[in-house]
Amino acid sequence: MYLCEINLYMLQKPIYLDNNATTPMDPRVLETIIPYFTQQFGNAASRNHPFGWEAEKAVENAREQVANLIGADPKEIIFTSGATEGDNLCIKGVFEMYAQKGNHIITCTTEHKAVLDTCRHIEKIGGAVTYLEVNKEGLINLEELKAAITPKTILIAIMYANNEIGVIQPIKEISTLAKERGVLFFTDGTQAVGKVPVNVINDGIDLMAFTAHKMYGPKGIGAIYVRRKNPRVKVTAQIDGGGHERGMRSGTLNVPGIVGFGKACELCQQDMQADTIRISAMRDTLEKGLLKLEESYVNGSTQHRLPHVCNISFKYVEGEGLMMGFNKDIALSSGSACTSASLEPSYVLKALGLGDDLAHSSLRFGLGRFTTNEQIEFTINAITETVTKLREMSPLWEMFKEGINIDDIEWAHH
Ligand SMILES: *Cc1c(COP(=O)(O)O)cnc(C)c1O
């Protein structure tokens, strides 16, 4: 009895609030995929025996589940190893396929590295890329997009929702503009698919990349959507081989991964509304709780934003100290260099116009399907405590409290 009570009231730690980096696999997904490692292990391309037929049937079932979630036809789904490969395949594939039409691509500065690094590569091989800036809300300017389109433009590549700040771009307006000008529209849908109602028809998307491990499916499996009518879109394969996936992506299919991806899509579709209500309420509680701290700011639009994400900067707090204050108990990402491979603070936050200090002292909260109210309550308390403690030791905070404008002093150094 006593032990039971302890289990009920003890919060398991660390608490996971980094669901934008990856999500745990839903147990219902795991259950679905296990037989495909052992009993139904066939190669989906084996045409001569039931092992192959079973595997193919499972893949086609999953293709339908994936297609259903985004309003596509199953024939428009091409399985990949994830969104990084999907971003590469869509951008490089369009660049090669439409080389006769032009060589110009338009993207924006807050894209994921899988898009930005691919665009850098395109520039090295003779392409031209325009990188649109974003405003302080993290949104692109449609007039600037319009002005950037030239007769050589073949692709607009703008993400659906940003991985660091959760900001949702004006997808319908972008696709309308693209259609008017006869340019293809590709979107990295990784953070949006499964969380908000993404529909390739309503949204006017021509190509999209997304991945299972950000939506409670397994890692190492993703897909691209490639429109088949109005217009019929084609991409040049980046991996050649047996001609799998309608020749666009060769390689033996990851059957268990695909089955899990399909199940994850089905669950997201089924649970989206309920999940959104529950998770966004927790997100709002968290945000409200943390904004009670003086000089704390939400980064990016709060109006055009994913329901499970918030990104907050705490002024007059040093980034590394902030993470060290609670990272034994709470797993989350920060905009600070110390948690990433590069030395620069988050380029996304800098693109919004944040200074290095505010970018360093930011935290990204990615809530998920398995986040609980107790975890949120603990997080509010732990972060409030850490920020308060750090500020008590900070000479900058002391100066701020004495009414000295620190921004003016910093300007004097330059
Ligand atoms: C995670 C992520 C990717 C990369 O996806 P992988 O499947 O891990 O390769 C690409 N784009 C965005 C926006 C992401 O959040």
Side-chain angles (χ1 to χ4, degrees), residues 112-172:
H112 191 271
K113 286 289 183 192
V115 167
L116 291 177
D117 289 351
T118 301
C119 285
R120 290 290 177 214
H121 177 86
I122 294 286
E123 288 180 289
K124 278 191 208 146
I125 58 171
V129 182
T130 299
Y131 299 88
L132 298 174
E133 309 220 318
V134 297
N135 64 14
K136 65 181 196 319
E137 303 256 274
L139 296 160
I140 64 158
N141 181 312
L142 292 164
E143 289 305 315
E144 282 172 27
L145 171 60
K146 204 179 207 170
I149 301 173
T150 76
K152 290 260 181 211
T153 308
I154 49 173
L155 186 69
I156 295 171
I158 301 288
M159 72 201 317
Y160 207 110
N162 184 270
N163 43 300
E164 288 192 35
I165 51 181
V167 167
I168 300 175
Q169 296 290 352
I171 295 298
K172 280 184 197 164

Short mmCIF file of all heavy atoms in Angstrom, two decimals, residues 112-172:
data_model
loop_
_atom_site.label_atom_id
_atom_site.label_comp_id
_atom_site.label_asym_id
_atom_site.label_seq_id
_atom_site.Cartn_x
_atom_site.Cartn_y
_atom_site.Cartn_z
N HIS A 112 15.09 24.19 -41.39
CA HIS A 112 15.94 23.18 -40.78
C HIS A 112 17.22 23.03 -41.60
O HIS A 112 17.22 23.28 -42.80
CB HIS A 112 15.18 21.84 -40.78
CG HIS A 112 15.81 20.76 -39.95
ND1 HIS A 112 16.74 19.90 -40.46
CD2 HIS A 112 15.62 20.42 -38.65
CE1 HIS A 112 17.11 19.06 -39.50
NE2 HIS A 112 16.45 19.35 -38.40
N LYS A 113 18.30 22.61 -40.93
CA LYS A 113 19.58 22.44 -41.63
C LYS A 113 19.48 21.48 -42.82
O LYS A 113 20.23 21.61 -43.79
CB LYS A 113 20.66 21.95 -40.67
CG LYS A 113 21.16 23.02 -39.72
CD LYS A 113 22.01 24.06 -40.43
CE LYS A 113 22.57 25.09 -39.46
NZ LYS A 113 23.14 26.26 -40.16
N ALA A 114 18.57 20.53 -42.74
CA ALA A 114 18.43 19.58 -43.85
C ALA A 114 18.00 20.30 -45.13
O ALA A 114 18.35 19.87 -46.24
CB ALA A 114 17.42 18.49 -43.49
N VAL A 115 17.29 21.40 -44.99
CA VAL A 115 16.90 22.21 -46.15
C VAL A 115 18.02 23.21 -46.48
O VAL A 115 18.44 23.34 -47.63
CB VAL A 115 15.56 22.94 -45.89
CG1 VAL A 115 15.30 24.02 -46.93
CG2 VAL A 115 14.42 21.94 -45.85
N LEU A 116 18.52 23.90 -45.46
CA LEU A 116 19.53 24.94 -45.71
C LEU A 116 20.81 24.35 -46.29
O LEU A 116 21.38 24.89 -47.25
CB LEU A 116 19.84 25.70 -44.41
CG LEU A 116 18.70 26.58 -43.89
CD1 LEU A 116 19.09 27.22 -42.55
CD2 LEU A 116 18.32 27.65 -44.90
N ASP A 117 21.29 23.25 -45.74
CA ASP A 117 22.52 22.65 -46.25
C ASP A 117 22.32 22.08 -47.65
O ASP A 117 23.23 22.12 -48.49
CB ASP A 117 23.03 21.55 -45.30
CG ASP A 117 23.59 22.13 -43.99
OD1 ASP A 117 23.73 23.37 -43.90
OD2 ASP A 117 23.87 21.36 -43.05
N THR A 118 21.13 21.58 -47.92
CA THR A 118 20.82 21.10 -49.28
C THR A 118 20.83 22.28 -50.25
O THR A 118 21.37 22.18 -51.36
CB THR A 118 19.45 20.40 -49.30
OG1 THR A 118 19.49 19.29 -48.39
CG2 THR A 118 19.11 19.87 -50.69
N CYS A 119 20.29 23.41 -49.84
CA CYS A 119 20.30 24.60 -50.69
C CYS A 119 21.74 25.10 -50.93
O CYS A 119 22.07 25.53 -52.03
CB CYS A 119 19.44 25.71 -50.08
SG CYS A 119 17.67 25.37 -50.26
N ARG A 120 22.57 25.03 -49.91
CA ARG A 120 23.99 25.40 -50.08
C ARG A 120 24.63 24.50 -51.14
O ARG A 120 25.40 24.95 -51.98
CB ARG A 120 24.76 25.26 -48.76
CG ARG A 120 24.39 26.30 -47.72
CD ARG A 120 24.87 27.69 -48.11
NE ARG A 120 24.44 28.68 -47.12
CZ ARG A 120 24.11 29.93 -47.39
NH1 ARG A 120 24.13 30.38 -48.64
NH2 ARG A 120 23.73 30.75 -46.44
N HIS A 121 24.30 23.23 -51.09
CA HIS A 121 24.82 22.29 -52.08
C HIS A 121 24.34 22.67 -53.49
O HIS A 121 25.12 22.67 -54.44
CB HIS A 121 24.38 20.86 -51.73
CG HIS A 121 24.80 19.83 -52.72
ND1 HIS A 121 26.03 19.21 -52.67
CD2 HIS A 121 24.17 19.32 -53.81
CE1 HIS A 121 26.14 18.37 -53.68
NE2 HIS A 121 25.02 18.41 -54.39
N ILE A 122 23.07 23.01 -53.60
CA ILE A 122 22.50 23.42 -54.88
C ILE A 122 23.26 24.63 -55.44
O ILE A 122 23.57 24.70 -56.64
CB ILE A 122 20.99 23.79 -54.71
CG1 ILE A 122 20.17 22.55 -54.33
CG2 ILE A 122 20.43 24.51 -55.93
CD1 ILE A 122 19.93 21.57 -55.44
N GLU A 123 23.62 25.56 -54.55
CA GLU A 123 24.38 26.74 -55.00
C GLU A 123 25.74 26.33 -55.56
O GLU A 123 26.23 26.91 -56.52
CB GLU A 123 24.56 27.73 -53.84
CG GLU A 123 23.28 28.45 -53.48
CD GLU A 123 23.48 29.41 -52.32
OE1 GLU A 123 23.68 28.93 -51.19
OE2 GLU A 123 23.44 30.62 -52.56
N LYS A 124 26.34 25.33 -54.94
CA LYS A 124 27.67 24.86 -55.39
C LYS A 124 27.61 24.20 -56.76
O LYS A 124 28.62 24.15 -57.46
CB LYS A 124 28.25 23.87 -54.38
CG LYS A 124 28.91 24.55 -53.21
CD LYS A 124 29.70 23.53 -52.38
CE LYS A 124 29.77 24.00 -50.94
NZ LYS A 124 29.74 22.89 -49.99
N ILE A 125 26.45 23.64 -57.12
CA ILE A 125 26.37 22.94 -58.40
C ILE A 125 25.61 23.77 -59.44
O ILE A 125 25.02 23.22 -60.37
CB ILE A 125 25.77 21.52 -58.25
CG1 ILE A 125 24.37 21.56 -57.62
CG2 ILE A 125 26.70 20.62 -57.42
CD1 ILE A 125 23.62 20.24 -57.65
N GLY A 126 25.65 25.08 -59.27
CA GLY A 126 25.14 25.94 -60.34
C GLY A 126 23.74 26.49 -60.12
O GLY A 126 23.20 27.17 -61.00
N GLY A 127 23.14 26.22 -58.98
CA GLY A 127 21.82 26.77 -58.69
C GLY A 127 21.91 28.14 -58.05
O GLY A 127 22.98 28.56 -57.61
N ALA A 128 20.79 28.85 -58.03
CA ALA A 128 20.71 30.14 -57.35
C ALA A 128 19.63 30.01 -56.28
O ALA A 128 18.56 29.48 -56.55
CB ALA A 128 20.35 31.23 -58.34
N VAL A 129 19.95 30.46 -55.08
CA VAL A 129 18.98 30.34 -53.98
C VAL A 129 18.75 31.69 -53.32
O VAL A 129 19.70 32.41 -53.02
CB VAL A 129 19.46 29.32 -52.91
CG1 VAL A 129 18.41 29.18 -51.80
CG2 VAL A 129 19.75 27.96 -53.54
N THR A 130 17.47 32.04 -53.13
CA THR A 130 17.12 33.24 -52.37
C THR A 130 16.69 32.79 -50.98
O THR A 130 15.84 31.90 -50.85
CB THR A 130 15.95 33.98 -53.05
OG1 THR A 130 16.36 34.37 -54.36
CG2 THR A 130 15.55 35.23 -52.25
N TYR A 131 17.29 33.40 -49.96
CA TYR A 131 16.93 33.09 -48.57
C TYR A 131 16.10 34.24 -48.01
O TYR A 131 16.64 35.30 -47.70
CB TYR A 131 18.19 32.89 -47.72
CG TYR A 131 19.07 31.75 -48.21
CD1 TYR A 131 20.06 31.96 -49.17
CD2 TYR A 131 18.89 30.46 -47.72
CE1 TYR A 131 20.85 30.91 -49.63
CE2 TYR A 131 19.68 29.40 -48.17
CZ TYR A 131 20.65 29.64 -49.12
OH TYR A 131 21.43 28.60 -49.58
N LEU A 132 14.80 34.05 -47.92
CA LEU A 132 13.93 35.10 -47.38
C LEU A 132 14.16 35.26 -45.89
O LEU A 132 14.35 34.26 -45.18
CB LEU A 132 12.46 34.76 -47.63
CG LEU A 132 12.00 34.62 -49.07
CD1 LEU A 132 10.54 34.14 -49.10
CD2 LEU A 132 12.14 35.94 -49.82
N GLU A 133 14.13 36.50 -45.42
CA GLU A 133 14.24 36.72 -43.99
C GLU A 133 12.86 36.58 -43.37
O GLU A 133 11.85 36.56 -44.07
CB GLU A 133 14.79 38.12 -43.73
CG GLU A 133 16.06 38.35 -44.53
CD GLU A 133 17.11 39.11 -43.78
OE1 GLU A 133 16.76 40.08 -43.10
OE2 GLU A 133 18.28 38.70 -43.88
N VAL A 134 12.82 36.49 -42.05
CA VAL A 134 11.53 36.43 -41.35
C VAL A 134 11.41 37.66 -40.45
O VAL A 134 12.41 38.30 -40.13
CB VAL A 134 11.41 35.15 -40.49
CG1 VAL A 134 11.43 33.91 -41.37
CG2 VAL A 134 12.50 35.09 -39.42
N ASN A 135 10.18 38.00 -40.07
CA ASN A 135 9.99 39.12 -39.15
C ASN A 135 10.19 38.64 -37.70
O ASN A 135 10.53 37.47 -37.48
CB ASN A 135 8.61 39.78 -39.36
CG ASN A 135 7.45 38.83 -39.04
OD1 ASN A 135 7.65 37.79 -38.41
ND2 ASN A 135 6.26 39.19 -39.47
N LYS A 136 9.95 39.52 -36.73
CA LYS A 136 10.25 39.13 -35.35
C LYS A 136 9.31 38.05 -34.82
O LYS A 136 9.59 37.42 -33.81
CB LYS A 136 10.30 40.35 -34.42
CG LYS A 136 9.00 41.09 -34.24
CD LYS A 136 9.28 42.28 -33.31
CE LYS A 136 8.05 42.93 -32.71
NZ LYS A 136 6.88 43.11 -33.57
N GLU A 137 8.24 37.82 -35.54
CA GLU A 137 7.32 36.73 -35.20
C GLU A 137 7.78 35.39 -35.80
O GLU A 137 7.20 34.36 -35.51
CB GLU A 137 5.93 37.03 -35.77
CG GLU A 137 5.33 38.33 -35.32
CD GLU A 137 4.26 38.08 -34.28
OE1 GLU A 137 3.11 37.83 -34.67
OE2 GLU A 137 4.60 38.13 -33.08
N GLY A 138 8.76 35.47 -36.71
CA GLY A 138 9.24 34.25 -37.36
C GLY A 138 8.53 33.94 -38.67
O GLY A 138 8.71 32.84 -39.22
N LEU A 139 7.74 34.89 -39.16
CA LEU A 139 6.96 34.65 -40.38
C LEU A 139 7.61 35.31 -41.59
O LEU A 139 8.17 36.42 -41.49
CB LEU A 139 5.54 35.21 -40.20
CG LEU A 139 4.72 34.51 -39.12
CD1 LEU A 139 3.56 35.39 -38.67
CD2 LEU A 139 4.22 33.16 -39.61
N ILE A 140 7.51 34.65 -42.75
CA ILE A 140 8.03 35.27 -43.97
C ILE A 140 7.03 36.34 -44.44
O ILE A 140 5.87 36.35 -44.04
CB ILE A 140 8.27 34.25 -45.12
CG1 ILE A 140 6.96 33.60 -45.57
CG2 ILE A 140 9.30 33.21 -44.71
CD1 ILE A 140 7.03 33.03 -46.97
N ASN A 141 7.53 37.22 -45.30
CA ASN A 141 6.71 38.28 -45.86
C ASN A 141 6.29 37.87 -47.28
O ASN A 141 7.13 37.61 -48.14
CB ASN A 141 7.54 39.57 -45.88
CG ASN A 141 6.76 40.74 -46.44
OD1 ASN A 141 6.13 40.64 -47.49
ND2 ASN A 141 6.83 41.86 -45.75
N LEU A 142 4.97 37.82 -47.50
CA LEU A 142 4.47 37.31 -48.79
C LEU A 142 4.82 38.24 -49.96
O LEU A 142 5.04 37.78 -51.08
CB LEU A 142 2.96 37.10 -48.72
CG LEU A 142 2.54 35.94 -47.79
CD1 LEU A 142 1.06 36.03 -47.43
CD2 LEU A 142 2.87 34.59 -48.42
N GLU A 143 4.90 39.53 -49.68
CA GLU A 143 5.29 40.47 -50.74
C GLU A 143 6.74 40.23 -51.16
O GLU A 143 7.07 40.28 -52.35
CB GLU A 143 5.12 41.93 -50.26
CG GLU A 143 3.67 42.36 -50.11
CD GLU A 143 2.85 42.14 -51.39
OE1 GLU A 143 3.33 42.49 -52.48
OE2 GLU A 143 1.72 41.61 -51.29
N GLU A 144 7.58 39.94 -50.17
CA GLU A 144 8.98 39.64 -50.49
C GLU A 144 9.09 38.35 -51.28
O GLU A 144 9.90 38.23 -52.20
CB GLU A 144 9.82 39.53 -49.20
CG GLU A 144 10.19 40.88 -48.62
CD GLU A 144 10.84 40.78 -47.25
OE1 GLU A 144 11.47 39.73 -46.96
OE2 GLU A 144 10.71 41.75 -46.47
N LEU A 145 8.25 37.40 -50.91
CA LEU A 145 8.25 36.13 -51.64
C LEU A 145 7.86 36.38 -53.10
O LEU A 145 8.53 35.91 -54.03
CB LEU A 145 7.29 35.14 -50.99
CG LEU A 145 7.01 33.85 -51.75
CD1 LEU A 145 8.28 33.03 -51.99
CD2 LEU A 145 5.98 32.98 -51.02
N LYS A 146 6.79 37.14 -53.28
CA LYS A 146 6.29 37.47 -54.61
C LYS A 146 7.39 38.14 -55.44
O LYS A 146 7.63 37.77 -56.59
CB LYS A 146 5.11 38.42 -54.45
CG LYS A 146 4.13 38.45 -55.60
CD LYS A 146 3.05 39.45 -55.20
CE LYS A 146 1.72 39.18 -55.83
NZ LYS A 146 0.67 40.03 -55.22
N ALA A 147 8.06 39.10 -54.82
CA ALA A 147 9.09 39.86 -55.51
C ALA A 147 10.31 38.99 -55.85
O ALA A 147 11.05 39.29 -56.79
CB ALA A 147 9.52 41.05 -54.66
N ALA A 148 10.50 37.92 -55.11
CA ALA A 148 11.69 37.08 -55.33
C ALA A 148 11.52 36.11 -56.50
O ALA A 148 12.49 35.57 -57.03
CB ALA A 148 12.01 36.30 -54.05
N ILE A 149 10.26 35.88 -56.90
CA ILE A 149 10.01 34.92 -57.99
C ILE A 149 10.46 35.50 -59.33
O ILE A 149 10.13 36.63 -59.67
CB ILE A 149 8.51 34.54 -58.05
CG1 ILE A 149 8.07 33.91 -56.72
CG2 ILE A 149 8.24 33.58 -59.22
CD1 ILE A 149 6.57 33.65 -56.60
N THR A 150 11.25 34.73 -60.06
CA THR A 150 11.71 35.14 -61.39
C THR A 150 11.29 34.05 -62.39
O THR A 150 10.83 32.98 -61.99
CB THR A 150 13.25 35.27 -61.44
OG1 THR A 150 13.82 33.95 -61.49
CG2 THR A 150 13.80 36.03 -60.24
N PRO A 151 11.45 34.32 -63.71
CA PRO A 151 11.12 33.28 -64.68
C PRO A 151 11.95 32.01 -64.51
O PRO A 151 11.60 30.94 -64.99
CB PRO A 151 11.43 33.95 -66.03
CG PRO A 151 11.35 35.42 -65.77
CD PRO A 151 11.82 35.60 -64.36
N LYS A 152 13.07 32.14 -63.78
CA LYS A 152 13.96 30.98 -63.55
C LYS A 152 13.60 30.18 -62.29
O LYS A 152 14.23 29.17 -61.98
CB LYS A 152 15.41 31.47 -63.41
CG LYS A 152 16.02 32.00 -64.69
CD LYS A 152 16.89 30.94 -65.29
CE LYS A 152 17.56 31.40 -66.58
NZ LYS A 152 17.76 30.29 -67.49
N THR A 153 12.63 30.69 -61.53
CA THR A 153 12.29 30.03 -60.26
C THR A 153 11.56 28.72 -60.53
O THR A 153 10.55 28.68 -61.23
CB THR A 153 11.42 30.95 -59.39
OG1 THR A 153 12.06 32.22 -59.29
CG2 THR A 153 11.22 30.36 -58.00
N ILE A 154 12.08 27.64 -59.95
CA ILE A 154 11.43 26.33 -60.12
C ILE A 154 10.80 25.83 -58.83
O ILE A 154 9.93 24.98 -58.86
CB ILE A 154 12.42 25.26 -60.66
CG1 ILE A 154 13.72 25.26 -59.85
CG2 ILE A 154 12.70 25.49 -62.15
CD1 ILE A 154 14.66 24.13 -60.22
N LEU A 155 11.26 26.34 -57.70
CA LEU A 155 10.76 25.79 -56.43
C LEU A 155 10.74 26.83 -55.32
O LEU A 155 11.68 27.61 -55.16
CB LEU A 155 11.67 24.62 -56.00
CG LEU A 155 11.22 23.81 -54.77
CD1 LEU A 155 9.96 23.00 -55.06
CD2 LEU A 155 12.33 22.87 -54.29
N ILE A 156 9.63 26.80 -54.55
CA ILE A 156 9.57 27.54 -53.29
C ILE A 156 9.61 26.48 -52.19
O ILE A 156 8.80 25.55 -52.19
CB ILE A 156 8.27 28.38 -53.19
CG1 ILE A 156 8.27 29.47 -54.26
CG2 ILE A 156 8.12 28.98 -51.80
CD1 ILE A 156 6.95 30.22 -54.39
N ALA A 157 10.59 26.60 -51.30
CA ALA A 157 10.76 25.62 -50.21
C ALA A 157 10.61 26.35 -48.89
O ALA A 157 11.55 26.98 -48.41
CB ALA A 157 12.13 24.94 -50.32
N ILE A 158 9.43 26.29 -48.32
CA ILE A 158 9.16 26.95 -47.03
C ILE A 158 8.54 25.93 -46.09
O ILE A 158 7.55 25.28 -46.44
CB ILE A 158 8.19 28.15 -47.20
CG1 ILE A 158 8.76 29.21 -48.17
CG2 ILE A 158 7.85 28.78 -45.84
CD1 ILE A 158 9.93 30.02 -47.66
N MET A 159 9.10 25.82 -44.90
CA MET A 159 8.64 24.82 -43.95
C MET A 159 7.22 25.10 -43.46
O MET A 159 6.79 26.25 -43.42
CB MET A 159 9.61 24.71 -42.77
CG MET A 159 9.59 25.88 -41.82
SD MET A 159 11.12 26.03 -40.80
CE MET A 159 11.47 24.38 -40.31
N TYR A 160 6.53 24.06 -43.09
CA TYR A 160 5.16 24.22 -42.57
C TYR A 160 5.21 24.86 -41.19
O TYR A 160 4.61 25.90 -40.95
CB TYR A 160 4.46 22.85 -42.50
CG TYR A 160 2.95 22.92 -42.61
CD1 TYR A 160 2.29 22.44 -43.74
CD2 TYR A 160 2.19 23.46 -41.58
CE1 TYR A 160 0.91 22.50 -43.84
CE2 TYR A 160 0.80 23.53 -41.67
CZ TYR A 160 0.17 23.05 -42.80
OH TYR A 160 -1.20 23.11 -42.90
N ALA A 161 5.98 24.23 -40.28
CA ALA A 161 6.10 24.77 -38.92
C ALA A 161 7.55 24.61 -38.48
O ALA A 161 8.20 23.62 -38.79
CB ALA A 161 5.18 24.04 -37.97
N ASN A 162 8.03 25.62 -37.75
CA ASN A 162 9.43 25.62 -37.36
C ASN A 162 9.69 24.72 -36.14
O ASN A 162 8.91 24.69 -35.20
CB ASN A 162 9.88 27.05 -37.07
CG ASN A 162 11.35 27.11 -36.75
OD1 ASN A 162 11.76 27.01 -35.60
ND2 ASN A 162 12.16 27.26 -37.78
N ASN A 163 10.83 24.04 -36.18
CA ASN A 163 11.17 23.10 -35.12
C ASN A 163 11.61 23.77 -33.81
O ASN A 163 11.51 23.19 -32.74
CB ASN A 163 12.25 22.12 -35.59
CG ASN A 163 13.35 22.80 -36.37
OD1 ASN A 163 13.09 23.40 -37.41
ND2 ASN A 163 14.57 22.73 -35.87
N GLU A 164 12.09 25.01 -33.87
CA GLU A 164 12.56 25.65 -32.63
C GLU A 164 11.48 26.50 -31.96
O GLU A 164 11.44 26.60 -30.74
CB GLU A 164 13.79 26.53 -32.91
CG GLU A 164 15.02 25.70 -33.20
CD GLU A 164 16.28 26.52 -33.20
OE1 GLU A 164 16.39 27.47 -32.41
OE2 GLU A 164 17.17 26.21 -34.01
N ILE A 165 10.66 27.16 -32.77
CA ILE A 165 9.68 28.09 -32.18
C ILE A 165 8.24 27.67 -32.47
O ILE A 165 7.31 28.27 -31.95
CB ILE A 165 9.93 29.54 -32.66
CG1 ILE A 165 10.03 29.60 -34.18
CG2 ILE A 165 11.19 30.09 -32.02
CD1 ILE A 165 10.31 30.98 -34.75
N GLY A 166 8.05 26.67 -33.30
CA GLY A 166 6.71 26.15 -33.58
C GLY A 166 5.87 27.03 -34.48
O GLY A 166 4.67 26.75 -34.68
N VAL A 167 6.46 28.09 -35.02
CA VAL A 167 5.69 29.04 -35.83
C VAL A 167 5.25 28.42 -37.16
O VAL A 167 6.04 27.79 -37.86
CB VAL A 167 6.51 30.33 -36.07
CG1 VAL A 167 5.89 31.19 -37.15
CG2 VAL A 167 6.64 31.10 -34.77
N ILE A 168 3.97 28.58 -37.47
CA ILE A 168 3.38 28.03 -38.69
C ILE A 168 3.34 29.11 -39.76
O ILE A 168 2.79 30.19 -39.56
CB ILE A 168 1.95 27.49 -38.40
CG1 ILE A 168 2.01 26.38 -37.34
CG2 ILE A 168 1.29 26.99 -39.69
CD1 ILE A 168 0.65 25.86 -36.89
N GLN A 169 3.95 28.82 -40.89
CA GLN A 169 4.00 29.79 -42.00
C GLN A 169 2.64 29.85 -42.72
O GLN A 169 1.85 28.90 -42.64
CB GLN A 169 5.10 29.39 -42.99
CG GLN A 169 6.51 29.44 -42.41
CD GLN A 169 7.01 30.85 -42.13
OE1 GLN A 169 6.38 31.85 -42.50
NE2 GLN A 169 8.15 30.95 -41.45
N PRO A 170 2.36 30.93 -43.44
CA PRO A 170 1.08 31.04 -44.17
C PRO A 170 1.07 30.14 -45.42
O PRO A 170 1.26 30.60 -46.54
CB PRO A 170 1.02 32.53 -44.55
CG PRO A 170 2.44 32.99 -44.57
CD PRO A 170 3.20 32.14 -43.60
N ILE A 171 0.85 28.86 -45.17
CA ILE A 171 1.03 27.84 -46.20
C ILE A 171 0.07 28.05 -47.39
O ILE A 171 0.50 27.98 -48.56
CB ILE A 171 0.84 26.43 -45.59
CG1 ILE A 171 1.96 26.16 -44.56
CG2 ILE A 171 0.79 25.35 -46.66
CD1 ILE A 171 3.36 26.15 -45.12
N LYS A 172 -1.21 28.31 -47.12
CA LYS A 172 -2.17 28.46 -48.22
C LYS A 172 -1.83 29.67 -49.10
O LYS A 172 -1.92 29.59 -50.32
CB LYS A 172 -3.59 28.62 -47.67
CG LYS A 172 -4.18 27.29 -47.27
CD LYS A 172 -5.62 27.43 -46.82
CE LYS A 172 -5.98 26.17 -46.05
NZ LYS A 172 -7.18 26.31 -45.24
#
